[in-house]
Amino acid sequence: MNNDILPATLEELLAAILTTGQKLLELFTTPGWRQYQMLVIVALVAVSMLLSLITRRYWEDWARTREGWPKWQLRTLVLLMRRLSLLYFVVLSWIVYLVMQQATWPSRSYLIGVVATLATALLVIALVARAVRNRTLRLIFRWSMWVYATLVALNLTDTVASFLDGVAIEVGALHISVLGILKAALLIGALITLARLASHGASNALKRNDDISPSMQVLLGKAVQVLLYGWVLIVSIRTLGFDLTGLAFLSGAIGVGIGFGLQKVVSNLISGVIILMDRSIKPGDVISLGETFGWINALGARYVSVVTRDGREYLIPNEDLITGQVVNWSHSDQFVRLDLTFGTSYADDPHVVRAVAIRAAKSVKRVLSGPGHDPVCHITGFGDSSVDYILRIWISDPTAGLTNIRGNVFLALWDAFKAEGISIPFPQREVRLLGDTPETGADAQQIGAE
């Protein structure tokens, strides 16, 4: 801390603030053009509110016709509609200020210029702050920008800047002041916001490009995001005054330690890059991993989001998809074959059973029909109680579910077999209790005669 500069600078700052306060007090109490300017400002406020009441209905009707605009333009329009009085006041106050600057002495419009500047700052800050999603950061941004705009309007920026620059810590050639920290914080916040908006815009542009596969869209989007945020990190370090060459050895040692401690994290990151590059899975694919069956909702840097039919979302680490066995139901195409087994009585003609089963399968809506995808039915064996069959069907929408289509086909088979008189047998067993005397052939004949 520089003790020689701080007291003198603090005294100068307090004196400047007191002087400005006295000037403001004189503006309100001394008769003359200052009071005339106050009356002009009050009149502008009244006119702005009146114009807002008169034209609000017209602007609302016009805004309802802007349905084709992008969402960010519609949000900006809504913000302006909510601050219609302020918008009118800004326009009118600047018009009056510029006219008075040309028509009379500049000092006779000083107060109007200050108020116009503050009103403009309030409007701009309200619009720009919407780009900051975090509420806490948005509040900090609003207050800091409002304070800065006030200092600009009152011509106190140089005095406050010299004071904040005097509050500093010096370590060798390194000079860190409060002013530098504030500038760095504002710059970093602005760069992070711009990087987020740019990465979001790049991702949306890539998603609209049909010539790029979904996996490459995600990979390129992640690459742009890493480059932008990496650039923000480097600029932030340089803005704070740190020499990157002096931190090279220390950062290398720290990187080795972090690498050993975050092996799983790094493995998942590398596995995610491999998945995106080899395009083994992509958003929208239907996969099975262990007992998890669902479609891929999103590919992340560390995990893959898989949504099941019951609405659950599983976050599967990328490493599991690389090292484990994954069934991709829609890797090369969307066609999926399902096998359904059933049995009929020995009294039923197998030729009729096969024809009825194929006809019943074709009656289900999602079952495909055509060359290479027609339902087929084969006999697989002669069981103890029935003739066993397998019915093979094809579908092209596995994301719509597999259990439901199986149930619909079995229900169609039930209805078709019932209409044709085909029976579905069930095992029958004879149960004997210990101690019973087995029936002989003669006893069985006598029971039959009775």
Side-chain angles (χ1 to χ4, degrees), residues 299-312:
L299 298 176
R302 189 181 59 85
Y303 59 83
V304 172
S305 172
V306 178
V307 180
T308 59
R309 290 289 299 171
D310 55 2
R312 298 181 181 179

Side-chain angles (χ1 to χ4, degrees), residues 142-333:
R142 283 178 176 175
W143 278 101
S144 60
M145 293 306 295
W146 176 249
V147 171
Y148 179 74
T150 304
L151 294 176
V152 171
L154 299 177
N155 294 323
L156 291 175
T157 53
D158 295 336
T159 305
V160 175
S162 61
F163 166 72
L164 295 178
D165 190 57
V167 183
I169 298 176
E170 295 184 359
V171 180
L174 183 63
H175 177 81
I176 301 177
S177 63
V178 177
L179 179 63
I181 294 175
L182 291 176
K183 288 183 178 180
L186 292 175
L187 178 61
I188 293 170
L191 291 178
I192 291 176
T193 302
L194 291 176
R196 180 177 61 81
L197 294 176
S199 61
H200 184 70
S203 298
N204 291 336
L206 290 172
K207 290 179 181 179
R208 291 192 297 267
N209 193 337
D210 297 333
D211 296 333
I212 304 177
S213 64
S215 298
M216 290 303 297
Q217 291 175 2
V218 176
L219 179 60
L220 293 176
K222 295 297 180 183
V224 171
Q225 188 176 5
V226 170
L227 290 176
L228 288 176
Y229 282 103
W231 173 72
V232 170
L233 178 61
I234 295 175
V235 172
S236 302
I237 295 175
R238 295 298 299 269
T239 303
L240 290 174
F242 292 101
D243 188 5
L244 294 178
T245 58
L247 297 176
F249 178 78
L250 180 61
S251 60
I254 295 175
V256 172
I258 293 177
F260 282 108
L262 301 177
Q263 292 183 14
K264 286 292 183 180
V265 176
V266 176
S267 176
N268 286 320
L269 292 175
I270 296 176
S271 300
V273 174
I274 294 174
I275 290 174
L276 293 174
M277 293 183 65
D278 65 6
R279 293 179 292 181
S280 56
I281 60 175
K282 57 185 179 296
D285 282 352
V286 180
I287 66 170
S288 298
L289 181 63
E291 298 181 356
T292 303
F293 173 82
W295 63 89
I296 297 177
N297 183 37
L299 298 176
R302 189 181 59 85
Y303 59 83
V304 172
S305 172
V306 178
V307 180
T308 59
R309 290 289 299 171
D310 55 2
R312 298 181 181 179
E313 187 170 3
Y314 291 86
L315 304 181
I316 301 176
N318 292 327
E319 185 181 6
D320 294 347
L321 299 175
I322 293 294
T323 58
Q325 183 178 1
V326 180
V327 179
N328 192 339
W329 294 77
S330 54
H331 176 56
S332 56
D333 54 48

Side-chain angles (χ1 to χ4, degrees), residues 332-409:
S332 56
D333 54 48
Q334 294 291 329
F335 299 108
V336 175
R337 192 187 75 180
L338 301 178
D339 295 341
L340 296 84
T341 59
F342 63 93
T344 62
S345 173
Y346 277 94
D348 299 320
D349 187 357
H351 301 283
V352 176
V353 171
R354 293 179 60 196
V356 171
I358 293 174
R359 186 168 62 250
K362 289 183 177 180
S363 66
V364 180
K365 184 177 181 181
R366 292 175 54 196
V367 176
L368 300 178
S369 297
H373 297 106
D374 270 330
V376 294
C377 185
H378 301 290
I379 297 178
T380 58
F382 300 104
D384 295 336
S385 304
S386 64
V387 180
D388 299 328
Y389 298 87
I390 184 171
L391 176 63
R392 290 175 173 172
I393 61 174
W394 289 86
I395 63 174
S396 61
D397 53 351
T399 57
L402 303 181
T403 303
N404 53 4
I405 184 62
R406 286 193 177 100
N408 292 336
V409 173

Side-chain angles (χ1 to χ4, degrees), residues 114-128:
V114 171
V115 175
T117 302
L118 294 177
T120 306
L122 180 61
L123 182 61
V124 173
I125 291 170
L127 295 177
V128 176

